[in-house]
Amino acid sequence: MTMKVADYILARLSEWGVENVFGYPGDGINGLLAAWGRADNEPRFVQARHEEMAAFQAVGYAKFSGRLGVCAATSGPGAIHLLNGLYDAKLDHVPVVALVGQTHRSAMGGSYQQEVDLHSLFKDVASDFLETVTVPEQLPNVLDRAIRTAYARRAPTAVIIPADVQDLDYSAPTHEFKMVPSSLDRSGWSAVPSNSAVERAAEVLNAGERVAILVGQGAAGAREEVQQAAETLGAGVAKALLGLDVLSDELPYVTGSTGLLGTRPSYEMMRDCDTLLTIGSSFPYSQFLPEFGKARGVQIDLDPHMIGMRYPYEVNLVGDARETLLRLLPLLERKEARDWQEEIVSGVRRWREVMSSRAEVSADPINPEYVAHCLDPLLPSDAIVTCDSGSVANWYARHLRMRGQMRGSLSGTLATMGCGVPYAIGAKFARPDRPAVALVGDGAMQMNGLAELITVAKYRHLWEDPRLVIGIWNNQDLNQVTWEMRAMGGAPQFLASQALPDVSYARFAESLGMTGIRVEKPEQVERAWREALSAEGPAVVEFLTDPDVPPIPPHATREQMEATAESIIKGDPDRAGMVRQGLKAKVQEFLPHRKKASDDA
Ligand SMILES: Cc1ncc(C[n+]2csc(CCOP(=O)(O)OP(=O)(O)O)c2C)c(N)n1
Ligand SMILES: [Mg+2]
């Protein structure tokens, strides 16, 4: 039997080591689907409920495997559905290839059914590489370049294959004029800065007395070197959201997350440092970096197009984080004075106490901070944690302490809702041997998570570690936005847009054959997490949480406090509860150490 273009594409994906393609069928990719049948489903076609979910699964897979994520969709509506997931890949710098169908070549330009101008649609999101295959000889080059570019630029790329081209007999490029052959080998490489640049960086870091280090996901391969730099420089280390799993929170000088969802010690370290060393992060909020002119700065980043932004750094080192640090470390002088680092360490210790106290504040019915705080010590040290966008991201960033082999991620830059459950599915395909935990709000669950529970039920048999826990903060509110409206605009809660219907997530899970637990009282929280984490399969555990507990930023500004007060005056329907919970949470920062929060604050 002759090999068709579609057969060739699947075979080439396998040659690249692709094991899973997250997708959804449609007649724009019928040729590919038929080829999958002939190939005995290799690489495995993983069926999502929606193409956006397939793209999120590919992103989750790539984030947790360190390998390429691949997704597939039909022309027209399928392609359009992919977009948000592909943008998530683009903004978080994740390698993903999208395979997309298109109408037959003979119908193109004929306003044909499901014909959408895919080059215009993907022009921005797949700006690094986007091509349509119109004759077999373009392969393997087009596919190879899509994959190579996705890896090299850490970006989404797209290959469009018209339906009739998928069914053509494959014929390889020849040695002729206008033919473009391609090869497969992908050897390791790393970028390193020049010696003189490294020397200049060392001079800046050696001159500082109060060094702060900020790490992002780009520092992931340089765990030990970052640690060594911090110890030599007597520095503290703050982590951008995507870099939370880069360094263990068990190190006493690690101040945890930074930014709006950050911790107070991170905020204070950035405020008070005289030198900033940023490694592998494009953390966007300059107001959480030192005041301009107050600190000297060095940045290390792999991407020469991205470096030097966000802060007026003095030295910008383009290079791989580990390779660059290996060159920098021998030039760093050990700082004998340790009072700055000690100050940071005691700030971290105090912050942990504040977080415990905030978690212990009573609420109606359950304090959302307590739910995350309670999970923290129960997490296995090899857990993969995903988090959705919403108030839960605050609790993820502040209450979970990364340690051991733990991994964690969320939609760091696009901050899209609805990625938590599909990321966790991607994680289970990336690491079927490890437990995964998704932290999700009820809005995100209603948007995407509920449907993707069906995908979980469909594929659970493939995962050798059966644990996949989906924790839901059921506050019947789009709470993060409710609070943003109050804090930014002084607007009262607008129930028509914010209130969510109550849904029994646990019963829905049970209907799919999973463990389902609904928790209505604080005293049941710990037992519920334990039960979910030891279930012999996927488990959904929902907590009825209090929407009046505010996700207070580490340093609520005066303007934000005033705006919130204004929203109360303007008649927020929840004002009594808000004031009660807001003050109770905030006051924990000022209470003497270890004093338990009292319920009658
Ligand atoms: C696709 C998308 N739509 C809207 C938003 C704006 N948004 C951010 S958080 C949020 C509320 C999330 O609600 P929920 O999932 O219930 O979590 P909660 O904040 O209540 O804990 C919204 C609407 C977004 N980030 N992404
Ligand atoms: Mg909610």
Side-chain angles (χ1 to χ4, degrees):
M1 202 179 72
T2 53
M3 185 182 234
K4 295 191 181 302
V5 163
D7 298 310
Y8 183 77
I9 290 174
L10 297 187
R12 192 70 174 176
L13 288 175
S14 292
E15 280 186 276
W16 274 99
V18 173
E19 288 169 356
N20 301 288
V21 176
F22 302 91
Y24 203 81
D27 73 353
I29 52 169
N30 271 356
L32 276 171
L33 301 173
W36 250 300
R38 291 191 289 274
D40 231 358
N41 197 17
E42 201 172 310
R44 181 192 288 118
F45 184 96
V46 179
Q47 179 207 63
R49 301 310 97 202
H50 183 300
E51 292 83 354
E52 180 179 323
M53 305 310 109
F56 282 147
Q57 282 156 20
V59 176
Y61 177 87
K63 284 185 168 187
F64 296 116
S65 67
R67 295 163 62 183
L68 178 77
V70 183
C71 55
T74 189
S75 55
I80 295 165
H81 270 180
L82 282 180
L83 269 187
N84 194 47
L86 294 180
Y87 269 108
D88 187 39
K90 187 179 181 81
L91 271 63
D92 274 359
H93 304 291
V94 180
V96 169
V97 171
L99 302 173
V100 188
Q102 179 56 298
T103 190
H104 284 53
R105 287 171 299 168
S106 58
M108 278 184 189
S111 278
Y112 213 68
Q113 197 192 27
Q114 295 195 329
E115 187 192 4
V116 165
D117 179 353
L118 294 182
H119 274 258
S120 296
L121 185 76
F122 288 131
K123 183 178 153 66
D124 181 48
V125 76
S127 58
D128 287 290
F129 188 80
L130 166 64
E131 195 51 76
T132 298
V133 180
T134 54
V135 294
E137 289 80 1
Q138 275 174 282
L139 293 168
N141 180 52
V142 168
L143 184 61
D144 287 358
R145 280 205 75 203
I147 293 174
R148 226 185 280 286
T149 308
Y151 270 125
R153 301 253 169 87
R154 300 167 298 125
T157 60
V159 175
I160 298 161
I161 316 135
D164 60 317
V165 173
Q166 296 166 30
D167 277 333
L168 296 176
D169 289 342
Y170 178 64
S171 108
T174 62
H175 192 240
E176 308 300 309
F177 190 41
K178 304 272 165 151
M179 287 285 178
V180 184
S182 174
S183 59
L184 194 110
D185 184 53
R186 181 173 165 260
S187 57
W189 62 282
S190 39
V192 287
S194 68
N195 288 341
S196 62
V198 176
E199 281 160 21
R200 281 195 298 127
E203 184 272 312
V204 172
L205 297 169
N206 286 334
E209 288 174 2
R210 297 190 306 278
V211 183
I213 300 179
L214 168 63
V215 294
Q217 61 172 344
R223 190 177 272 218
E224 274 171 37
E225 291 73 20
V226 171
Q227 213 171 310
Q228 245 183 37
E231 278 155 24
T232 306
L233 294 168
V237 187
K239 303 186 285 187
L241 268 187
L242 285 173
L244 276 193
D245 57 3
V246 162
L247 212 59
S248 170
D249 285 300
E250 287 176 331
L251 296 166
Y253 51 77
V254 170
T255 60
S257 56
T258 190
L260 276 172
L261 311 187
T263 69
R264 192 157 187 103
S266 294
Y267 172 73
E268 288 173 349
M269 176 173 75
M270 289 299 166
R271 189 193 57 196
D272 299 338
C273 70
D274 67 5
T275 310
L276 171 66
L277 169 60
T278 300
I279 308 168
S281 173
S282 58
F283 175 76
Y285 301 121
S286 48
Q287 75 271 32
F288 286 95
L289 296 176
E291 286 259 9
F292 300 158
K294 242 192 106 209
R296 301 175 75 186
V298 172
Q299 185 178 21
I300 300 174
D301 203 278
L302 186 60
D303 190 344
H305 302 276
M306 291 289 289
I307 201 161
M309 278 198 291
R310 322 285 196 219
Y311 194 77
Y313 293 101
E314 213 170 307
V315 185
N316 292 318
L317 297 179
V318 176
D320 169 81
R322 181 163 183 274
E323 292 297 331
T324 305
L325 284 171
L326 283 175
R327 284 159 178 77
L328 185 60
L329 285 170
L331 308 185
L332 296 183
E333 291 155 11
R334 191 186 145 79
K335 294 203 193 299
E336 295 312 326
R338 292 277 138 175
D339 41 335
W340 163 247
Q341 197 180 49
E342 279 158 19
E343 206 180 298
I344 292 168
V345 170
S346 72
V348 172
R349 208 176 302 126
R350 168 152 169 70
W351 171 255
R352 290 283 166 216
E353 284 164 4
V354 168
M355 293 315 282
S356 297
S357 309
R358 275 176 59 160
E360 282 162 17
V361 165
S362 70
D364 184 18
I366 301 174
N367 181 345
E369 300 206 47
Y370 177 64
V371 176
H373 198 73
C374 203
L375 170 66
D376 175 52
L378 305 178
L379 279 172
S381 65
D382 62 345
I384 301 179
V385 184
T386 70
C387 179
D388 220 294
S389 303
S391 65
V392 66
N394 293 269
W395 320 138
Y396 164 80
R398 299 206 188 108
H399 283 283
L400 299 194
R401 285 164 306 169
M402 292 289 167
R403 56 196 180 265
Q405 295 306 305
M406 270 169 72
R407 294 289 320 273
S409 198
L410 36 56
S411 172
T413 323
L414 187 61
T416 177
M417 274 174 76
C419 62
V421 177
Y423 267 19
I425 294 171
K428 288 303 280 185
F429 279 96
R431 295 304 305 261
D433 57 329
R434 286 169 65 160
V437 180
L439 313 180
V440 191
D442 49 351
M445 237 14 235
Q446 292 179 18
M447 184 179 272
N448 292 341
L450 278 171
E452 282 314 302
L453 288 183
I454 300 167
T455 307
V456 171
K458 183 171 154 82
Y459 290 104
R460 56 183 286 186
H461 64 281
L462 294 175
W463 304 326
E464 67 190 82
D465 184 318
R467 292 170 294 177
L468 198 189
V469 176
I470 292 137
I472 303 164
W473 274 247
N474 179 352
N475 53 17
Q476 289 154 54
D477 186 42
L478 294 169
N479 200 235
Q480 179 71 20
V481 172
T482 300
W483 279 103
E484 281 163 2
M485 285 168 68
R486 286 170 180 150
M488 310 284 179
Q493 187 189 32
F494 175 49
L495 286 173
S497 70
Q498 299 313 105
L500 291 174
D502 187 16
V503 168
S504 178
Y505 308 93
R507 282 217 304 276
F508 183 68
E510 280 172 351
S511 78
L512 295 168
M514 301 180 201
T515 303
I517 309 168
R518 182 170 165 111
V519 180
E520 299 182 350
K521 295 188 187 130
E523 53 274 21
Q524 299 164 342
V525 171
E526 185 181 335
R527 196 169 355 115
W529 275 130
R530 284 186 188 279
E531 191 182 331
L533 283 164
S534 56
E536 269 308 307
V540 166
V541 49
E542 57 168 308
F543 304 91
L544 294 190
T545 55
D546 188 344
D548 290 339
V549 175
I552 302 175
H555 72 307
T557 62
R558 206 166 130 232
E559 296 79 49
Q560 284 167 342
M561 292 299 229
E562 278 169 4
T564 309
E566 204 179 317
S567 82
I568 299 169
I569 294 161
K570 284 186 190 158
D572 193 297
D574 244 0
R575 54 187 175 270
M578 270 165 56
V579 173
R580 175 171 37 78
Q581 290 307 141
L583 292 180
K584 274 203 284 190
K586 192 69 191 162
V587 88
Q588 301 312 315
E589 291 186 31
F590 306 106
L591 289 177
H593 294 191
R594 295 314 318 150
K595 183 172 182 293
K596 294 274 184 276
S598 65
D599 289 354
D600 38 338

